[in-house]
Amino acid sequence: QVQLVESGGGLVQAGGSLRLSCAGSGSVFGFNTMGWYRQAAGKQRELVAVVTSGGTTDYADSVKGRFTISRDNAKRTVYLQMNSLKPEDTAVYYCNADLHGIPYWGQGTQVTVSS
């Protein structure tokens, strides 16, 4: 059974940094595209950043220049380095990974940025 386990969320002051990790397991195959989404209270889930198995990245405009996504294919892990955090970054962050066209989701990790 494929599982994605996130870690690294928490409470941080505006301007601070956090690093999220998401480790995948349960498959002998590597994941294709991996990414991070977030959902703030009362809002729809939105894309934050994605990275392909080849390392190509894409970001939401709201996080460009502040967040960096990366992955370690050997460890089947994707990371999200978040710098210069703003209160509007407060949300539950979800890891997503594609395996043979099937999307998998992590359980989510809360990120709270205080002003």
Side-chain angles (χ1 to χ4, degrees):
Q1 184 177 357
V2 174
Q3 286 189 318
L4 300 174
V5 179
E6 299 126 336
S7 60
L11 174 64
V12 65
Q13 289 187 332
S17 298
L18 283 173
R19 188 190 194 211
L20 305 183
S21 300
C22 171
S25 63
S27 172
V28 298
F29 301 103
F31 294 103
N32 297 322
T33 299
M34 302 183 78
W36 291 93
Y37 291 70
R38 67 186 182 188
Q39 187 167 17
K43 295 187 177 181
Q44 290 188 330
R45 190 173 298 189
E46 63 177 1
L47 172 71
V48 176
V50 292
V51 57
T52 68
S53 57
T56 300
T57 60
D58 195 18
Y59 297 89
D61 288 343
S62 59
V63 306
K64 283 181 180 177
R66 300 188 297 122
F67 291 10
T68 302
I69 190 170
S70 60
R71 63 188 287 172
D72 183 329
N73 289 330
K75 295 182 178 179
R76 296 178 186 175
T77 298
V78 62
Y79 306 95
L80 186 69
Q81 178 66 44
M82 304 184 293
N83 298 328
S84 302
L85 282 161
K86 304 176 181 180
E88 51 263 44
D89 294 318
T90 295
V92 178
Y93 283 69
Y94 295 92
C95 174
N96 171 272
D98 174 88
L99 182 64
H100 302 313
I102 300 173
Y104 293 90
W105 294 91
Q107 79 284 357
T109 185
Q110 177 70 46
V111 171
T112 301
V113 184
S114 63
S115 57

